[in-house]
Each structure stands twice: as structure tokens, then as C-alpha cells.
Amino acid sequence: MDVIETTTTRSGPVPSIRAEEKKRITPKRPRDYVAWAVAIAIVAGLVWTAVTNEKYRWPVVFSYFTTQTILNGLLVTLLLTAASMGLGTLMGLVLAVMRMSHQRPVSGLAQLYITFFRGTPVLVQLVFWFNIAALYPNLSIGIPFTDISTPVNVNAIMTPMTAAIVGLTLNQAAYMSEIIRGGFASVSRGQHEAAESLGMSGFTKLRHVIIPQTMPAIIPATGNQVIGMLKETSLVSVLGVADLLQSAQAIYARTYQTIPLLIVASLWYLIMTLVLSVPQSMIERRFSRSTRTRLTPAATSAEPGAGQLVPPTRESLL
Amino acid sequence: MNPDGTIVARKLCKSFGRHQVLRDIDLTVAAGEISCIIGPSGSGKSTLLRCINGLETVDRGVLKVNGEDFGYVEKDDAYHAVRPKRLAEQRARIGMVFQQFNLFPNMTAESNVMSGPVLVQKKDRVACRERAQELLASVGLSGCGHKYPAQLSGGQQQRVAIARALAMEPTIMLFDEPTSALDPERVGEVLAVMRDLAGNGMTMLLVTHEMAFAREVADEVLFMDEGIAVERGDAREVLANPREKRTQAFLERVL
Ligand SMILES: Nc1ncnc2c1ncn2[C@@H]1O[C@H](COP(=O)(O)OP(=O)(O)O)[C@@H](O)[C@H]1O
Ligand SMILES: [Mg+2]
């Protein structure tokens, strides 16, 4: 720095530092300022209307924000999300295994399931399950080829809550199975071959070699599904399940405070998705850094530690 | 005579759909012998190697490894596929080294080397760890045991892969172009390990394009073209004075 100063004072316009040492500057372009101006204008406009438009009734929003009905609805929404995610993942795993089977009838059946449940709207599926008694009024649950069986009145067990869980679970299973299958597809053939050539059994190979490598693909995608499911549960309000949205609707049906209560529900959904997105983005960052699975010659012949990070799923069992 | 470390193939055939990849291949590797398979790409070299450790199934012909029918038992008029457990046992005695290394990226180098003995042979973990460290040292990688494959160079990864195969105490080592995916300056370190192994009397069957290495260590050379074993014989002899036209043409191109 002082080199610059001494040279400038001494020799005026003569170049003060050597060309090799000069900083390189990219001038800001007009569009950079325009983008900022537009963004600020939009946000300011939104805030302005939210504050000045009386009909938002913010005091009403705050007064209902933590009422018992809303909190109960919140709990139902969370339970629905957890139940259908958990069951859907288990069932998705079964479907994925079926889908990957070399036996055509088995994989075909799974394919059929996935096509059907991904090809029809969840809302329709939910209403369908709620009305399933119209198709099968009585079911008989029992052990085949024995006399042990109990008749079940479908109408009685298919409560709105059951229909909601069944509908969301069956739908989620179709999506989860594709995610799980994708995870397995991301592991190269060579990994299977290496494990098999060591004499590993199918189970050992899956447990110690393949499944740990599927996780970087499966876990972040599953996180996205959880967030999606949280919002999707709002569809069950059409069945009359007292979830967050339905609770808000129940209140405004009495008080006619439609907008403020929809704001209450939206804020809660927003809070929950934001809370969930924190671990989600941590997981994503952790897994997206991996340089693994398919090892290209270029990547593998790189110098040791040349910008390559430690793979995230560590096998600590050995 | 102890048949360990021997490979015998007679009239081995293999097709993928309508495309016949191996046509009546005959091959004998004696215990402790080093055999090289050479030939243009697509000639079926990898497929032959993969048949010998069960990564591909053989359509027809005889295949005996370590003196036993491999993957099948002969009964009456047919060969019957063995149960997966039996196949795994047979495979465990054959070491395989792949062109793309195929190290398990979720395990450290040491865990990769231990994976066979611990998970397959159910050996004691502590003893296996010690043995893994010895093996890593023998391939010049002492001190790299805690590193993950992604932190190792290609040459280092391939040496770990060799150590991993050796940890199973195989009677035979198969190498499928072990240096083809490496940077040129990394080839030497892998060949050095293989040279050591050859010196210690391991039966080796290797597909390679390193003709100088083949001439140096191999006892026998098999030249394959379009699924046919075109020429087979003493390594120096075949490489220096090939009898067949196709072998001559191939060697002219690669040398
Ligand atoms: N799994 C497979 N399915 C179909 N064709 C294959 C398969 N593996 C190899 N082939 C074919 O078999 C032939 C021989 O392949 P390969 O044994 O890999 O040759 P090389 O190792 O000598 O280059 C090639 O034409 C290749 O396309
Ligand atoms: Mg090949």
C-alpha cells in the first residue's frame, strides 16, 4: 500500500504499480441496480398493503393464532404427516423391492400399483377410500382355509381419519418406492460385482455395501417428501378430519373471519415447513458434496485429496 | 496332486442374446502360473474372466476352477446350478481385480481390505485389522488405512483393491485390465505390486494391454479375437513370433 502512495506522490500520472499486480475490477452494470430496485419495490408494496388494508384484521389473526382448536388441528396435521410418511416409506420399500425383482409378475404388479397411484389425484383417492364401503360393505378378515374369521363392517372402520391415513399412505408409498428404487439405481453394477466376487451373500452385500451407498440419494429426497406431505395433509379437510386447515375452517364458519383464519393456518404451515427445512438443507448439503458412487477414471485417478471430500456415509461397523 | 490354483476350460461358450461372445474357448492355467489374455476390445476377454468367477454364467462347456466344476455340479446328463451359498464359497477363493477398482466408497481402505474376512469368513475383527494393515503395507500403502477411496489416487485405489482381494487368501487372482483406468505415471506402482505377487507363486490370469509387462512376467499368453482363442502358447514365443495372422496384425498395432 505505501508503495502505491509514494509512487503516486512522486511521479503523478505515471503507473503506480506494476501491471502484474493490478486488481481486476468488474463494473456493476445498470441491470444489477434495476433488479434490486424492482425487488425492493415489490416487497415494500406487499408490506404496505398488508399494513394498511384493514381487512387483513391482524389483531384477529393474533388472537386465534394459539387457540386450542388451532393447536389441536396442528397436532392432527403433524400426526397425519408422521403416520403416512412412516407407513408410506415402509410400504414403498416393499414396492421398490418388488419393482426390482427379476420375476416379471412381481415387478409388473408393483409397476401397476405405482402407475395407478401416481396417475390419479390424491384428493380423488382420499374421497374414494372414504366411500369404499359403497364397493365392499362387509369384509371378512380371517386366516385362509380355516374357520377363524371376523366380519368387519367397512363403514364403521373407515372413519375420516382412517380414510385419510390409508389414502395418504398408499399414495406416498408409490412415490417413496420410486425414490428408493432411484437410490439403488445410483449404485453402480461394479459395487455389486466387487461384493459378489468377495463371496458376500445377497444380504451381506445389501446391508454393508449397497444400502449405505443408496442413502445419499434417498435421504434428501425423503426429506422433500416429508415437507410435501405436511402440506398435502391439508387435503384431508374435505373428509372432515380436524387437521389444521379444517380447524381454521371450523372457526371461520362460525365467526366469518375467513381471511384472518386462513392466514393463521398459512402461517403455521409456513412455520412448520421452515422448521423442517433446516435439517433438510443440512442433510442435503452433507450428501450433495459426495463425489462417489460412479467412479469415473478422471475422478479416481486424481491426486490424493485433490479437492475430494470424505464420503458422508461412513461404515463404522468394520 | 493338489488341484488348488488351477483353471481348466474346455469348449467354453457364452452368448448374450444372439451374439456369441465366447466360442469354444480352451484354457489351462496350472498352479502358480501367470497367464495373460490379450486381444482387441470386444473380443470377449472380460467375459471369459467374468465367467471364471461367476459374474457371468457359462452356456456350455467345461469349467473347472481349483479342480472343481465351477458354479455347477455334473449330474446325469446335465450340469445343475449350485445354490447361491455354494457359489459364494467358490467365489471367495478367487480374487478379482477390476478395471474401475470398485472399492466400496463408504468404507476406509482398511475396512475395504477387512470386508471379506470379517463379513464373509466371519473371522476375528482384531486379527483381520492387523492382517489388513500388513496387506496394505505389502502394497506400499501403510498409513493409508484410514483414508476413504475418494481420498486416494487411482493407483492407490487399485493397490487397495488388490489387497482386498488378497485378504480372502485366494488360490487364484483374476485381473481385468487393472491399469487401463490409470494415469500413465500411476501404472508402474500397480504393476510392481503384481510383479511381487507373481514372484510369490500366485496363480494369475490377467487381461492386459501392457505388452512389456506380459513379456516380463507371463508364462503363457492367450490371444483372443471375436470370441475365439486364436493363439495360445509360451508368452515370449507368442509375443515375439506369433504364428497366426490375426495375432501378428494385433501385435503390430499395439507394439
Ligand atoms: N452384459 C452384456 N450384455 C450384452 N452384451 C455384452 C455384455 N457384456 C459384454 N457384451 C458384449 O460381449 C462382447 C465382448 O465383451 P467383453 O468381454 O467386454 O470384451 P473385451 O473385454 O475383450 O473388450 C462385446 O461385443 C460386448 O458388447
Ligand atoms: Mg474388457
Side-chain angles (χ1 to χ4, degrees):
Chain A
M1 276 299 136
D2 49 7
V3 177
I4 304 168
E5 267 165 12
T6 45
T7 35
T8 36
T9 45
R10 210 177 289 158
S11 38
V14 174
S16 53
I17 47 176
R18 283 186 296 143
E20 293 90 325
E21 284 157 11
K22 283 183 182 168
K23 276 199 298 186
R24 285 178 189 264
I25 296 162
T26 312
K28 281 235 182 291
R29 287 159 303 180
R31 74 165 97 140
D32 297 329
Y33 299 108
V34 171
W36 273 109
V38 170
I40 290 168
I42 290 173
V43 172
L46 287 174
V47 171
W48 179 253
T49 169
V51 171
T52 54
N53 188 339
E54 295 276 301
K55 292 180 194 127
Y56 278 102
R57 302 215 191 94
W58 291 105
V60 181
V61 171
F62 292 121
S63 68
Y64 279 109
F65 198 66
T66 50
T67 51
Q68 200 55 47
T69 317
I70 292 291
L71 292 183
N72 287 345
L74 199 62
L75 193 65
V76 170
T77 289
L78 286 172
L79 284 176
L80 265 177
T81 306
S84 32
M85 245 350 263
L87 294 172
T89 304
L90 280 181
M91 201 175 150
L93 184 63
V94 174
L95 279 169
V97 170
M98 287 174 65
R99 183 83 175 76
M100 291 184 284
S101 163
H102 291 297
Q103 293 188 288
R104 284 297 298 152
V106 177
S107 68
L109 216 57
Q111 170 84 70
L112 194 70
Y113 179 99
I114 293 163
T115 308
F116 182 80
F117 281 89
R118 294 209 309 178
T120 53
V122 200
L123 184 54
V124 177
Q125 289 172 28
L126 285 168
V127 179
F128 179 88
W129 289 113
F130 187 50
N131 292 296
I132 191 73
L135 268 181
Y136 301 101
N138 286 294
L139 274 185
S140 171
I141 296 178
I143 303 163
F145 313 116
T146 64
D147 289 339
I148 309 163
S149 77
T150 36
V152 175
N153 181 345
V154 174
N155 229 337
I157 61 158
M158 203 41 90
T159 61
M161 192 64 178
T162 329
I165 291 177
V166 168
L168 292 175
T169 297
L170 295 186
N171 189 260
Q172 191 59 22
Y175 286 93
M176 282 310 296
S177 78
E178 288 294 276
I179 288 173
I180 293 168
R181 193 168 70 97
F184 279 85
S186 74
V187 182
S188 74
R189 256 307 318 114
Q191 291 293 310
H192 290 266
E193 293 180 350
E196 284 164 20
S197 72
L198 286 171
M200 285 188 195
S201 67
F203 177 79
T204 307
K205 176 184 81 177
L206 284 180
R207 162 80 182 75
H208 292 278
V209 176
I210 306 301
I211 291 175
Q213 293 185 57
T214 62
M215 289 300 135
I218 292 177
I219 291 179
T222 306
N224 275 334
Q225 290 298 112
V226 175
I227 291 173
M229 175 59 90
L230 184 76
K231 292 174 289 175
E232 206 171 283
T233 54
S234 62
L235 292 174
V236 305
S237 58
V238 298
L239 307 181
V241 173
D243 76 322
L244 179 55
L245 178 58
Q246 173 65 24
S247 306
Q249 286 172 335
I251 297 173
Y252 72 64
R254 265 189 293 113
T255 63
Y256 301 105
Q257 306 278 17
T258 310
I259 296 295
L261 275 142
L262 286 179
I263 292 175
V264 168
S266 301
L267 283 177
W268 274 117
Y269 282 117
L270 196 60
I271 289 168
M272 289 190 292
T273 49
L274 285 178
V275 166
L276 281 176
S277 68
V278 173
Q280 167 67 9
S281 64
M282 271 162 53
I283 290 167
E284 238 161 42
R285 226 175 305 131
R286 191 180 143 98
F287 282 121
S288 67
R289 273 186 297 190
S290 69
T291 49
R292 316 121 12 75
T293 55
R294 251 166 222 291
L295 299 171
T296 61
T300 48
S301 58
E303 284 304 302
Q308 307 214 17
L309 288 139
V310 180
T313 33
R314 302 187 177 203
E315 184 58 79
S316 55
L317 283 124
L318 284 172
Chain B
M1 205 186 92
N2 184 358
D4 277 357
T6 61
I7 305 170
V8 177
R10 286 202 305 272
K11 294 206 172 296
L12 216 58
C13 293
K14 169 74 186 172
S15 300
F16 289 111
R18 238 175 296 154
H19 176 30
Q20 189 168 2
V21 177
L22 299 180
R23 298 163 188 266
D24 295 329
I25 300 285
D26 286 331
L27 173 77
T28 321
V29 184
E33 203 174 71
I34 321 292
S35 261
C36 279
I37 306 174
I38 59 170
S41 108
S43 56
K45 306 182 299 295
S46 298
T47 306
L48 175 57
L49 221 59
R50 292 159 61 82
C51 283
I52 293 172
N53 81 341
L55 289 175
E56 304 288 355
T57 53
V58 174
D59 295 341
R60 197 154 37 78
V62 174
L63 175 61
K64 285 180 190 289
V65 181
N66 293 320
E68 299 168 334
D69 284 316
F70 184 84
Y72 290 81
V73 284
E74 200 178 353
K75 210 170 89 192
D76 307 327
D77 292 343
Y79 278 105
H80 299 266
V82 296
R83 304 210 153 269
K85 191 160 183 277
R86 173 76 185 123
L87 180 64
E89 279 167 16
Q90 291 187 318
R91 281 172 153 179
R93 305 184 63 201
I94 306 167
M96 176 87 177
V97 176
F98 301 87
Q99 184 176 347
Q100 298 294 343
F101 332 133
N102 294 344
L103 288 183
F104 306 135
N106 55 319
M107 301 181 193
T108 61
E110 190 178 86
S111 296
N112 264 280
V113 178
M114 289 165 66
S115 60
V118 171
L119 299 173
V120 178
Q121 297 170 331
K122 315 278 181 211
K123 285 189 184 165
D124 173 59
R125 225 160 262 255
V126 178
C128 287
R129 189 177 303 272
E130 232 165 74
R131 178 80 186 118
Q133 278 160 2
E134 280 171 29
L135 280 165
L136 283 173
S138 76
V139 297
L141 289 175
S142 43
C144 286
H146 64 283
K147 289 195 180 164
Y148 284 85
Q151 297 170 295
L152 298 170
S153 74
Q156 291 172 322
Q157 289 190 59
Q158 192 60 298
R159 285 183 282 154
V160 174
I162 293 173
R164 176 175 70 178
L166 289 175
M168 294 295 286
E169 298 181 349
T171 54
I172 295 166
M173 286 286 283
L174 307 176
F175 295 84
D176 190 0
E177 303 195 25
T179 58
S180 296
L182 299 179
D183 288 340
E185 79 266 25
R186 294 284 177 183
V187 169
E189 64 195 47
V190 172
L191 292 183
V193 168
M194 292 168 61
R195 193 176 289 122
D196 268 2
L197 208 53
N200 290 337
M202 173 67 75
T203 307
M204 287 165 60
L205 180 58
L206 77 120
V207 176
T208 186
H209 292 299
E210 299 288 334
M211 293 303 156
F213 183 74
R215 191 176 297 120
E216 179 196 334
V217 303
D219 300 303
E220 289 230 348
V221 161
L222 169 69
F223 172 70
M224 282 180 69
D225 193 17
E226 295 182 341
I228 298 168
V230 175
E231 184 165 354
R232 199 177 121 211
D234 178 78
R236 260 134 295 211
E237 191 58 33
V238 172
L239 292 173
N241 305 307
R243 277 172 284 122
E244 299 288 330
K245 276 235 154 44
R246 282 199 262 183
T247 322
Q248 288 162 7
F250 173 74
L251 287 175
E252 248 163 57
R253 259 183 292 131
V254 298
L255 287 178

